[in-house]
Amino acid sequence: MLNSNFIDRIKLPFRKEKELYLSLYTILGFYPRNIELYQMALSHKSIHFKNKKGKPVNNERLEFLGDAILDAIVGDIVYKHFPGKREGFLTNTRSKLVQRETLNKIAQEIGLSRLIYSSGRNFSHNSYMAGNAFEALIGALYLDRGYNLCMRFMQEKILKKMVNIDTVAYKEVNFKSRLIEWAQKNKMNIAFNLLEQKKDDEGNPVFKYCVVIEGIKCNSASGFSKKESQQLASEETLEYIKKNTRFCDALFEAKKKRQEAEQNKETAQEQTVESTENNTEPAQDEPLETTVITTTGKSKEEVVEMKEMDEFDLSDITANPKEPTQEEIIAAAEEAAFAGKE
């Protein structure tokens, strides 16, 4: 390593990107070999730079690679630092060390944020630009110098000098609360569904929870307690929302559909109530309906009287009786005269 750095130092005055070489040496502790990899790692997509073939050149691909390498390196370090700790504790500690907030802070403290090529207006609006560039730097370092140098850089330059693993590991970060706050801020429905509850080979209880936002199943995780499994599922969901734009868009689209359905249901209920209220009062232009008389609330005498009235047969009663003829009047008079003589 000393011989390599000595040779690179001799070549430094003749290099075109001398200032970038010196800046990277201050950060890494050694000189880069393929400077183009590091230039790409520091190029944000906002600058819209393209290569000779017309393809966009930015740090997104290196960021993807660096993310995977960083997980492996930090996982290796955490595994050796905490012998005997369970998987859930190790996973949680690694997540804290490689989360965007931590990487963003590291990138700013080592001076990496000052080297990023970007349009000035985008930097202030993207709070994770520096952290993303740090991941891309790890990707470039891996391709340029290999895994061992990446491990050395993280151990000696970052974890020993800037990050206390023990402090980070035992610092409580409530990812569930963060996720709930995010959901409330964006007016989204959120639930934590228990998918499985069992015991492992040693008889320890194991819980598996899934985060559901707006009816969409998000990440799920297992833990030795409900709290642990919900925390891990929340953490993975938060990370997934940050990285996956399409998934985030799907959540907002689901919220929009739910709100529209609720609005339609509320409108339908209001119309039903309004229709019912209108039907309780007859329209003034229409005749009243025939009132049906019932015996409810009547006395015994009133009921009997009503029944007797119902028994009358009124079929032979006419409104205008027929006038008698002259012959009928004479016959009636003669019958009355003879009846008197008898």
Side-chain angles (χ1 to χ4, degrees):
M1 178 62 64
L2 292 176
N3 293 334
S4 177
N5 277 335
F6 180 74
I7 296 174
D8 289 328
R9 187 175 299 176
I10 294 176
K11 295 180 179 180
L12 183 60
F14 305 98
R15 297 190 184 277
K16 183 178 180 180
E17 301 84 1
K18 181 171 65 174
E19 292 184 1
L20 181 59
Y21 271 99
L22 288 173
S23 298
L24 290 173
Y25 177 81
T26 302
I27 294 173
L28 300 174
F30 46 84
Y31 291 101
R33 291 176 179 172
N34 187 349
I35 194 63
E36 292 181 358
L37 287 173
Y38 299 89
Q39 288 175 325
M40 186 182 298
L42 297 171
S43 299
H44 188 257
K45 62 181 180 181
S46 62
I47 61 175
H48 303 293
F49 180 72
K50 295 183 179 181
N51 59 16
K52 295 180 180 179
K53 296 182 180 180
K55 293 183 179 181
V57 177
N58 54 59
N59 61 2
E60 288 185 336
R61 283 173 53 84
L62 285 175
E63 178 189 341
F64 165 79
L65 178 61
D67 179 56
I69 300 300
L70 199 57
D71 274 350
I73 290 175
V74 175
D76 189 351
I77 294 173
V78 170
Y79 178 84
K80 295 175 180 177
H81 189 82
F82 297 102
K85 288 293 185 179
R86 288 177 172 176
E87 177 188 3
F89 176 86
L90 300 177
T91 301
N92 197 18
T93 302
R94 181 186 62 184
S95 298
K96 293 175 185 178
L97 289 170
V98 299
Q99 65 181 334
R100 284 293 183 273
E101 290 83 358
T102 303
L103 299 183
N104 194 61
K105 184 178 180 181
I106 291 173
Q108 292 175 348
E109 290 186 1
I110 64 178
L112 185 66
S113 58
R114 297 192 298 270
L115 303 178
I116 298 175
Y117 307 125
S118 69
S119 60
R121 66 179 182 277
N122 287 334
F123 187 83
S124 59
H125 295 290
N126 190 341
S127 59
Y128 298 115
M129 185 184 294
N132 295 340
F134 183 83
E135 286 185 333
L137 176 69
I138 297 298
L141 181 57
Y142 170 75
L143 294 177
D144 186 41
R145 290 297 189 99
Y147 181 86
N148 291 334
L149 236 62
C150 288
M151 172 69 77
R152 178 181 172 183
F153 167 68
M154 286 299 300
Q155 285 180 321
E156 297 183 359
K157 288 286 187 176
I158 305 300
L159 297 180
K160 284 185 178 181
K161 295 183 178 181
M162 304 180 63
V163 180
N164 188 314
I165 298 180
D166 296 298
T167 302
V168 173
Y170 293 103
K171 181 181 179 181
E172 182 65 27
V173 179
N174 197 329
F175 295 103
K176 181 179 178 181
S177 295
R178 286 188 179 183
L179 183 60
I180 292 176
E181 289 175 3
W182 179 87
Q184 291 177 342
K185 180 180 179 181
N186 292 282
K187 298 180 180 180
M188 292 189 180
N189 292 337
I190 183 172
F192 296 85
N193 293 348
L194 178 62
L195 300 181
E196 187 179 19
Q197 182 176 349
K198 62 180 182 179
K199 292 186 177 181
D200 60 11
D201 297 337
E202 298 178 358
N204 299 313
V206 178
F207 302 88
K208 185 176 183 180
Y209 271 87
C210 177
V211 176
V212 180
I213 302 177
E214 290 296 340
I216 298 178
K217 292 183 179 180
C218 304
N219 297 72
S220 59
S222 298
F224 291 98
S225 67
K226 294 181 180 180
K227 180 180 179 181
E228 181 183 2
S229 59
Q230 291 177 2
Q231 282 287 332
L232 292 174
S234 299
E235 180 185 2
E236 292 177 8
T237 300
L238 281 170
E239 192 68 18
Y240 194 66
I241 290 174
K242 290 179 181 179
K243 291 185 176 182
N244 196 318
T245 305
R246 290 184 179 180
F247 177 72
C248 191
D249 291 340
L251 294 180
F252 280 95
E253 183 65 25
K255 183 192 77 169
K256 181 181 178 182
K257 291 182 179 179
R258 172 183 59 79
Q259 291 177 332
E260 291 176 351
E262 291 176 351
Q263 183 64 35
N264 293 336
K265 183 179 179 180
E266 183 178 348
T267 302
Q269 290 176 345
E270 291 176 353
Q271 292 175 347
T272 302
V273 172
E274 182 179 356
S275 177
T276 304
E277 292 176 351
N278 292 336
N279 290 335
T280 57
E281 298 181 1
Q284 295 180 357
D285 297 335
E286 296 181 359
L288 295 175
E289 295 182 359
T290 303
T291 303
V292 178
I293 300 176
T294 64
T295 60
T296 305
K298 301 292 183 179
S299 64
K300 183 177 181 180
E301 292 76 9
E302 290 176 322
V303 173
V304 172
E305 183 180 353
M306 293 175 64
K307 286 184 178 181
E308 292 176 349
M309 291 176 62
D310 292 340
E311 290 175 356
F312 289 154
D313 184 7
L314 308 178
S315 60
D316 60 345
I317 298 179
T318 60
N320 296 313
K322 185 179 180 181
E323 295 292 336
T325 64
Q326 187 176 3
E327 290 78 12
E328 289 175 341
I329 295 174
I330 294 172
E334 290 178 344
E335 182 180 358
F338 285 113
K341 292 181 177 181
E342 295 180 349

